Amino acid sequence: AVEFAALFIAIPVAIALFLPPTMLFPALFAFSVLGLFLLWRTGGFDFRDLIRGWGRFDGRLFLAFAGLTFAASVAVLYATRPESLFSFLRSNPRFLLVIWLLYPLLSALPQELIFRVLFFHRYGRLFTGPRQAVLANAAIFSLAHLMYWNWIVAVFTFAGGLAFAIGYLRRGLPWAWALHAIAGNILFAVGMGIYFYGSYILS
């Protein structure tokens, strides 16, 4: 429990308070290495499970999730920052394509390894049942994005954390990873990156 609090509460708060934005990806890489070590150290985990689950992929549910993500992000951005709607897509489509290719591997996958695989395998026993574990997972996933200091990011990441956690428990890592990847890519395409990473990165 102490380790859980340090890893998923104390470290994200410290990152939000003290880490320069330029150190975001090095910190994510270090966090991922630590997570894989802890996963190995826990024991009882078959690493082949990381690539199992593609047979449970539901194309229609995937498209429905993508459509809901698109509609929600367009609605929120139109209501809060209409000038940013599709601005990244219009101003720098080539860079957006690069992000679409790299985000699933460099950001979504490490996060899923930490917040889904490690969380449920090593710390799931701290909770009284799967419902409580899923809610806690969504909460700490939202907390991990505290560094952006924005309530919109907090709400989106909590909702995304619920979807990814439930998807992981029911269909495995490939499904949760696919949902996370498409959600992130849609948010960038719509222009929500203005909240997640700031205009200084997207300019």
Side-chain angles (χ1 to χ4, degrees):
V2 172
E3 180 185 289
F4 171 84
L7 190 65
F8 289 111
I9 299 176
I11 290 180
V13 171
I15 288 175
L17 292 174
F18 304 114
L19 189 73
T22 55
M23 294 298 295
L24 174 61
F25 282 102
L28 180 59
F29 176 76
F31 209 51
S32 301
V33 172
L34 175 62
L36 288 173
F37 171 76
L38 289 173
L39 188 62
W40 169 79
R41 188 74 176 81
T42 305
F45 181 78
D46 187 350
F47 277 82
R48 290 174 294 184
D49 287 343
L50 296 179
I51 59 174
R52 290 174 179 155
W54 289 110
R56 297 190 291 272
F57 197 94
D58 188 327
R60 289 180 296 180
L61 185 58
F62 181 78
L63 291 176
F65 174 80
L68 180 61
T69 303
F70 178 82
S73 56
V74 168
V76 169
L77 202 59
Y78 181 79
T80 59
R81 296 286 294 272
E83 72 280 0
S84 297
L85 196 60
F86 300 110
S87 59
F88 194 23
L89 177 62
R90 289 184 275 108
S91 64
N92 206 339
R94 290 184 179 179
F95 188 38
L96 179 61
L97 179 59
V98 172
I99 289 177
W100 274 20
L101 294 174
L102 295 181
Y103 175 81
L105 294 174
L106 299 183
S107 185
L109 182 58
Q111 290 182 64
E112 288 306 305
L113 289 172
I114 296 167
F115 289 98
R116 253 56 70 181
V117 181
L118 177 65
F119 175 92
F120 285 105
H121 183 69
R122 187 170 176 87
Y123 307 107
R125 69 191 71 178
L126 296 174
F127 306 95
T128 56
R131 181 175 298 179
Q132 291 75 18
V134 165
L135 288 173
N137 184 264
I140 59 101
F141 186 64
S142 181
L143 180 66
H145 294 78
L146 176 65
M147 66 188 76
Y148 303 120
W149 299 104
N150 190 284
W151 70 268
I152 293 176
V153 171
V155 171
F156 267 71
T157 52
F158 182 83
L162 288 177
F164 307 151
I166 294 171
Y168 172 74
L169 292 178
R170 293 183 177 178
R171 298 175 184 268
L173 176 64
W175 175 252
W177 174 44
L179 293 183
H180 194 155
I182 192 61
N185 283 351
I186 287 173
L187 292 178
F188 274 113
V190 169
M192 288 287 287
I194 196 70
Y195 288 126
F196 281 81
Y197 293 102
S199 58
Y200 63 93
I201 288 180
L202 300 178
S203 60

